[in-house]
Amino acid sequence: MSLSALDGGFADPPVEAAHAFRAVLQALSRPGRIERIAGAAPPSPCSPAAGAVLMTLCDPTTPLFLAPSHDTDDVRAWIAFHTAAPLCGPETAQFALGTWGALQPVGRFSVGTSEYPDRSATLIVEVETLAAGGARLTGPGIETEAALSLPEVDAFRVNRARFPLGFDCLFTCGDRVAGLPRSTIVAEG
Amino acid sequence: MSDTDYNFAYLDEQTKRMIRRAILKGVAVPGYQVPFASREMPMPYGWGTGGVQVSAACLTPEDTFKVIDQGADDTTNAVSIRKFFEKTAGVAVTEKTAEATIIQTRHRIPETPLTEDQILVYQVPIPEPLRFLEPRETETRKMHALEEYGLMHVKLYEDISRHGEIATAYAYPVKVEGRYVMDPSPIPKFDNPKLESAALQLFGAGREQRIYAVPPFTKVVSLDFEDHPFDPSKAPHPCALCGAEDTYLDEVITDDAGGRMFVCSDTDFCARRRGEAA
């Protein structure tokens, strides 16, 4: 493990994690809204936003799947030091990190059970661009309609059809994050 | 800054992560009660331990925090929770609804409409709306899974056949986004229409170890029948102090001779109106 794995954590964990969580909470409860999330400096290709999400939500109790796009020695070492989350396969993952392409097929991830729909995966999807345009979103958290640049539409339509089961997504790009809970109805823009 | 003997907002980071994950799943499945590993808090169950844990997980140092108990800022429960976070999180506190960013509430929704920048945290005693109809958790969980809410409608129907109307005046059950039947905590049914809000609403039940959520602009429908529509009734009086005709009122006994007055239960709203009138 290189020494650089020890760097890039929160300087003041309770306060920075609180800020990061509020950004994630706003993003997920208002789909389409893009929030800034700062404080983390993980090794490439992991974005600062994804790093902050990992440090805010992951710990030794949350199995994490690293998709091939992010499964590097540096990322593994950084996650091990800063979160201690155990790495696992996609089927048992509570969190998953990767590009949308590398996370495919997303049908592998846990969608919870009808009695415990909360026991489902949260996907942290690294995207090249994140903008309030593209797919049209409606549903809880959205007053009339919102728009968000999504990597595709069909997968989220399938995911919504299973509601209340389904996975939830956080899209990260640089120091920004957006959320797409399973409850959102997604249509072509 | 806060008292350095405590971690920011009292709870340790591992606990906050666990609560934060539960809150996010609650937001993703509106109205579904997410189990969480509720901690013992330095106050008894029934005093808002669930709400306090949710608030602790959400607070940032820049927040302005308000606590109400039955609408009032100055009751023991509200004062002690406000002081708790003043001491352990070092946050600013206020009694003014419009200035607060996080409002923890016991059994009321403020009269002043909430905004997108606010989070309302409810203290919940019994999160399960079906609990008094079916005591077994295994069964109520199955009923939610199967969307089997016939029992609740039977209960409301029996109310009508016995009393001529639905006799539930508080903790009036609602259906969230057409899927889960939810207990809105023991708010008066007068407040039910306010559950459709621009603010994010989070519910914490400490003893029962459940967290649930209603995201902004989520559809929240009070259960009723076509021929007995939901009626958010109120006492037929204006507030004796501020004269408001559209607020929820408390009946206050003023002497031993049957004297009484009706006043706004939302003390901030009432005080502001009286300030404007003066």
Side-chain angles (χ1 to χ4, degrees), chain A residues 19 22 30 57 115 118 141, chain B residues 21 32 62-63 116 141:
Chain A
H19 285 138
R22 279 290 277 280
R30 300 170 198 278
L57 298 176
E115 297 197 351
D118 56 304
Chain B
R21 290 192 295 264
Y32 166 73
E62 294 76 28
D63 275 311
E116 290 213 6
R141 185 160 290 281

Side-chain angles (χ1 to χ4, degrees), chain A residues 8-188:
Chain A
F10 287 144
D12 184 0
V15 169
E16 286 183 273
H19 285 138
F21 172 68
R22 279 290 277 280
V24 172
L25 180 63
Q26 286 289 3
L28 199 71
S29 58
R30 300 170 198 278
R33 183 187 280 215
I34 297 167
E35 293 279 333
R36 288 201 175 274
I37 181 168
S44 161
C46 189
S47 69
V53 171
L54 289 171
M55 281 196 291
T56 304
L57 298 176
C58 295
D59 57 33
T61 67
T62 57
L64 170 69
F65 170 67
L66 288 180
S69 61
H70 284 64
D71 195 359
T72 68
D73 287 342
D74 281 352
V75 172
R76 278 180 176 240
W78 190 84
I79 287 171
F81 180 75
H82 290 282
T83 74
L87 299 182
C88 68
E91 290 80 11
T92 50
Q94 206 171 329
F95 287 88
L97 170 66
T99 62
W100 184 247
L103 287 167
Q104 300 301 322
V106 288
R108 307 178 281 176
F109 294 105
S110 167
V111 294
T113 65
S114 53
E115 297 197 351
Y116 292 94
D118 56 304
R119 295 180 183 173
S120 59
T122 303
L123 312 185
I124 304 165
V125 186
E126 299 261 42
V127 289
E128 301 257 311
T129 54
L130 193 57
R136 289 185 293 122
L137 315 179
T138 51
I142 303 165
E143 187 167 14
T144 50
E145 192 176 283
L148 187 64
S149 53
L150 295 179
E152 67 167 290
V153 166
D154 281 344
F156 301 108
R157 216 179 261 154
V158 171
N159 193 42
R160 164 70 212 196
R162 279 182 300 212
F163 186 85
L165 305 188
F167 54 78
D168 307 304
C169 292
L170 295 169
F171 297 97
T172 51
C173 176
D175 64 349
R176 297 176 309 145
V177 63
L180 191 77
R182 69 192 82 174
S183 59
T184 303
I185 298 156
V186 181
E188 300 276 1

Side-chain angles (χ1 to χ4, degrees), chain B residues 31-261:
Chain B
Y32 166 73
Q33 305 160 50
V34 184
F36 81 112
S38 178
R39 298 293 193 252
E40 251 185 73
M41 298 301 286
M43 61 190 72
Y45 288 132
W47 283 67
T49 54
V52 164
Q53 290 178 79
V54 170
S55 293
C58 290
L59 276 172
T60 68
E62 294 76 28
D63 275 311
T64 303
F65 191 58
K66 168 183 164 89
V67 190
I68 50 172
D69 176 1
Q70 303 269 17
D73 293 274
D74 54 1
T75 54
T76 311
N77 198 189
V79 170
S80 58
I81 291 173
R82 205 161 57 225
K83 280 194 176 152
F84 176 74
F85 281 117
E86 245 184 320
K87 180 169 183 177
T88 62
V91 292
V93 297
T94 183
E95 295 193 0
K96 298 196 172 77
T97 302
E99 288 177 7
T101 51
I102 296 187
I103 303 171
Q104 183 171 329
T105 174
R106 174 178 174 274
H107 306 0
R108 268 318 303 279
I109 298 175
E111 305 285 359
T112 310
L114 301 179
T115 67
E116 290 213 6
D117 303 319
Q118 295 177 310
I119 298 176
L120 187 59
V121 178
Y122 294 76
Q123 303 172 195
V124 183
I126 310 281
E128 177 52 70
L130 305 167
R131 181 62 68 233
F132 291 108
L133 307 170
E134 170 52 66
R136 289 167 296 180
E137 168 68 16
T138 49
E139 295 306 302
T140 53
R141 185 160 290 281
K142 213 172 283 171
M143 289 156 78
H144 282 295
L146 298 173
E147 213 176 338
E148 174 50 69
Y149 296 125
L151 203 56
M152 183 59 90
H153 279 103
V154 169
K155 191 254 172 200
L156 297 177
Y157 171 76
E158 284 182 346
D159 263 12
I160 293 170
S161 61
R162 201 172 297 161
H163 308 289
E165 59 177 7
I166 296 172
T168 304
Y170 65 94
Y172 192 103
V174 295
K175 198 161 201 181
V176 181
E177 203 58 27
R179 179 56 180 82
Y180 284 98
V181 165
M182 184 189 93
D183 183 333
S185 89
I187 56 172
K189 68 176 177 175
F190 175 82
D191 279 345
N192 271 25
K194 286 185 263 179
L195 287 163
E196 285 186 356
S197 168
L200 169 65
Q201 300 170 82
L202 302 174
F203 299 76
R207 179 186 51 214
E208 302 290 321
Q209 313 196 316
R210 295 290 185 274
I211 285 172
Y212 51 107
V214 175
F217 312 114
T218 299
K219 212 166 80 190
V220 182
V221 178
S222 302
L223 298 182
D224 61 0
F225 299 97
E226 278 174 18
D227 53 345
H228 281 87
F230 172 73
D231 169 31
S233 66
K234 75 180 283 288
H237 306 273
C239 170
L241 297 177
C242 75
E245 310 223 6
D246 54 356
T247 61
Y248 188 73
L249 303 173
D250 284 336
E251 184 179 1
V252 180
I253 308 293
T254 52
D255 55 34
D256 290 339
R260 63 191 60 195
M261 63 195 277

Side-chain angles (χ1 to χ4, degrees), chain A residues 12-18, chain B residues 1-17 20 56 84-85 87-90:
Chain A
D12 184 0
V15 169
E16 286 183 273
Chain B
M1 199 43 220
S2 62
D3 199 315
T4 47
D5 291 343
Y6 297 99
N7 187 34
F8 173 72
Y10 186 77
L11 293 172
D12 61 278
E13 290 305 295
Q14 169 108 10
T15 298
K16 280 195 242 170
R17 278 192 294 270
R20 285 166 178 164
F84 176 74
F85 281 117
K87 180 169 183 177
T88 62

